[in-house]
Amino acid sequence: MKQRFSNEAGRRKVVNLERRSEESERRAIQHDIHEATKRFEKIAEMGDDGIIVFDEVYQIEFGNTIASELTEYPKEKLIGMDFRRLLSEGDIGYLDQMHSGLGVDESKRLCTEMEIITKRGMKRDAEVCITIERLKQGGVRTYAYIRDITERKKYEMDLKESEEKYRNLFERVRHGLYISTKEGRFLDCNQALLEMLGYEGKDEFLQIDIAKDLYTRPGDRTAFQSLIEKQEFVKDLELEFKRKMGEKIAVLVTAHTKRDGKGEIVGYEGLMIDVSERKRMERELKEANEFLTNLIEGSVDAIFVTDVKGNILIFNRGAEDILGYRAEEVVGKMNIRNIYPPGVATEVMKKLRSPDFGGVG
């Protein structure tokens, strides 16, 4: 009997030791879990992204400070909330699709843009990336990394609007606008420049060699580059270009240098004005003036021209021979009253102003 009691006591002692060992092991595991959780939370709070962890039924288990600030919910209020409450109705479907795309692959990470609904009902643009963790007891846990991109989206929208305004202005200007590289290729141009130079499409135009296909004298390209890189700009520089089919045109170029982030010149931006018609008219006017001058100077008759006050503007060789004055003594220096007697000069001026003699002279 004594031996039996001794064995029973021994067994109870062993059981108690085993229980204490299991309890100690359980506490150690709980401590490790607690420490691991603290480390995760500390790491989660160090980042710039909101982090929300939820289970298979979308119940939130953890949310860091950034997530709390982004959603406007206190961290303790996030715990237990359905993650889908933070998403717009349309994005809930995207979330399901992302989950389907992940499957059970822990190595995958899927990202998309979503709208986060704050506690006050405001919408914030966010980039949401999710990844999963397979649990030992079965099921999965989802980690959602949320980055507020509201300001970035606003900037992108403002930039897009600005680019559209610039493009509209760029295309509506009646003169040719361009951006080119230092090496001699066009990067962009407006429709007016294509029409000026006889090209139907921009793709074809952007392939041309500027020095070879645009300048009638390739050396002018080198001179242009030397001047603009020395002064940083050129204004109304007259150059002769050729259209696609070879016709020569005169243009005025106003441009400035374009630099990269290091301050190196990488190209030029500018404006071209076709002055071929103006040059043609100037040439024709010059030819007409030369013809009239030769006609007047070649006449044996005395011909001189005055303004309405009688000041002499033109005095030909015939007038020099007949009246005895030299042109340089008369033009801009004498009045018709110095040529004619007083009464005659008055009568001449009266006739010159009369419609019967051609109107105001």
Side-chain angles (χ1 to χ4, degrees):
M1 179 68 72
K2 185 176 181 180
Q3 181 66 36
R4 189 177 65 184
F5 286 148
S6 177
N7 291 339
E8 184 66 27
R11 282 195 298 272
R12 284 199 298 269
K13 185 176 181 180
V14 170
V15 170
N16 289 334
L17 287 173
E18 288 177 348
R19 286 177 178 174
R20 283 198 293 270
S21 176
E22 289 175 357
E23 180 66 20
S24 177
E25 184 177 349
R26 185 179 64 80
R27 288 178 179 176
I29 292 172
Q30 288 179 338
H31 179 268
D32 290 343
I33 292 173
H34 179 69
E35 289 299 314
T37 301
K38 285 175 61 178
R39 286 196 297 271
F40 167 76
E41 291 180 356
K42 185 176 181 180
I43 293 171
E45 294 294 352
M46 292 173 63
D48 295 327
D49 295 337
I51 300 176
I52 291 179
V53 182
F54 55 88
D55 62 18
E56 288 184 302
V57 293
Y58 299 102
Q59 185 172 334
I60 296 175
E61 298 176 347
F62 171 80
N64 69 350
T65 301
I66 299 296
S68 172
E69 293 173 352
L70 195 153
T71 62
E72 299 179 347
Y73 286 96
K75 287 197 287 186
E76 60 272 16
K77 294 292 184 180
L78 284 174
I79 306 303
M81 183 185 294
D82 189 320
F83 178 70
R84 292 170 296 187
R85 283 182 55 191
L86 301 175
L87 305 180
S88 63
E89 186 174 345
D91 286 333
I92 293 175
Y94 287 133
L95 180 64
D96 292 336
Q97 291 177 21
M98 291 171 74
H99 258 139
S100 299
L102 289 173
V104 292
D105 189 345
E106 294 179 296
S107 65
K108 281 188 177 180
R109 175 186 173 100
L110 296 180
C111 300
T112 190
E113 291 184 6
M114 293 183 173
E115 284 185 336
I116 298 296
I117 310 300
T118 70
K119 183 179 180 181
R120 292 182 296 163
M122 296 178 61
K123 293 181 179 180
R124 286 184 175 172
D125 293 308
E127 181 183 61
V128 179
C129 297
I130 66 170
T131 186
I132 63 167
E133 174 192 11
R134 296 175 64 185
L135 303 177
K136 291 181 179 180
Q137 64 270 28
V140 296
R141 177 182 288 128
T142 302
Y143 294 79
Y145 299 85
I146 307 169
R147 176 167 296 177
D148 188 351
I149 59 172
T150 304
E151 289 301 316
R152 190 188 82 187
K153 294 288 285 187
K154 182 179 181 300
Y155 171 78
E156 289 174 351
M157 184 65 68
D158 291 344
L159 180 61
K160 182 180 179 182
E161 290 178 359
S162 177
E163 288 175 345
E164 287 177 353
K165 289 179 182 177
Y166 164 77
R167 175 55 60 180
N168 289 335
L169 178 63
F170 191 76
E171 292 298 340
R172 289 176 182 175
V173 172
R174 295 176 59 187
H175 300 303
L177 298 177
Y178 72 92
I179 302 172
S180 69
T181 67
K182 185 176 180 179
E183 292 72 26
R185 297 285 181 182
F186 284 109
L187 297 176
D188 200 3
C189 70
N190 65 350
Q191 185 62 31
L193 186 60
L194 294 177
E195 294 173 0
M196 181 192 304
L197 297 174
Y199 289 85
E200 294 183 1
K202 185 180 292 188
D203 291 341
E204 177 189 14
F205 182 69
L206 297 185
Q207 298 302 315
I208 72 170
D209 183 315
I210 293 177
K212 177 183 175 183
D213 300 322
L214 186 62
Y215 283 78
T216 58
R217 296 179 293 271
D220 286 350
R221 168 72 176 176
T222 304
F224 162 79
Q225 289 184 290
S226 297
L227 183 61
I228 194 172
E229 291 181 15
K230 179 181 179 181
Q231 300 180 164
E232 295 288 336
F233 73 96
V234 294
K235 181 176 174 59
D236 293 337
L237 177 65
E238 187 172 325
L239 295 168
E240 186 178 75
F241 288 162
K242 54 188 175 184
R243 290 163 55 86
K244 178 182 177 180
M245 302 308 294
E247 309 99 309
K248 295 179 180 179
I249 62 170
V251 299
L252 292 180
V253 176
T254 296
H256 62 86
T257 56
K258 188 172 183 290
R259 296 180 179 272
D260 61 14
K262 298 179 181 179
E264 299 293 329
I265 295 175
V266 294
Y268 317 105
E269 297 175 331
L271 172 146
M272 298 181 189
I273 301 176
D274 184 356
V275 292
S276 301
E277 183 64 18
R278 192 188 79 184
K279 295 287 288 184
R280 183 188 65 78
M281 293 176 65
E282 288 176 350
R283 184 171 60 253
E284 291 179 355
L285 180 61
K286 181 181 178 182
E287 291 173 355
N289 285 336
E290 288 176 350
F291 173 77
L292 289 174
T293 299
N294 292 334
L295 186 64
I296 291 172
E297 289 297 329
S299 175
V300 295
D301 296 325
I303 299 175
F304 54 92
V305 179
T306 71
D307 61 18
V308 293
K309 294 181 179 180
N311 298 314
I312 298 174
L313 305 176
I314 295 176
F315 200 80
N316 75 340
R317 284 195 294 269
E320 288 180 334
D321 295 339
I322 294 173
L323 299 175
Y325 294 98
R326 296 183 61 80
E328 56 266 27
E329 298 175 309
V330 176
V331 175
K333 299 176 181 178
M334 293 179 64
N335 190 281
I336 194 173
R337 293 181 177 85
N338 302 121
I339 303 295
Y340 292 106
V344 176
T346 301
E347 186 64 25
V348 169
M349 291 301 299
K350 186 183 296 184
K351 288 182 177 181
L352 288 175
R353 293 190 180 101
S354 171
D356 296 334
F357 290 86
V360 178

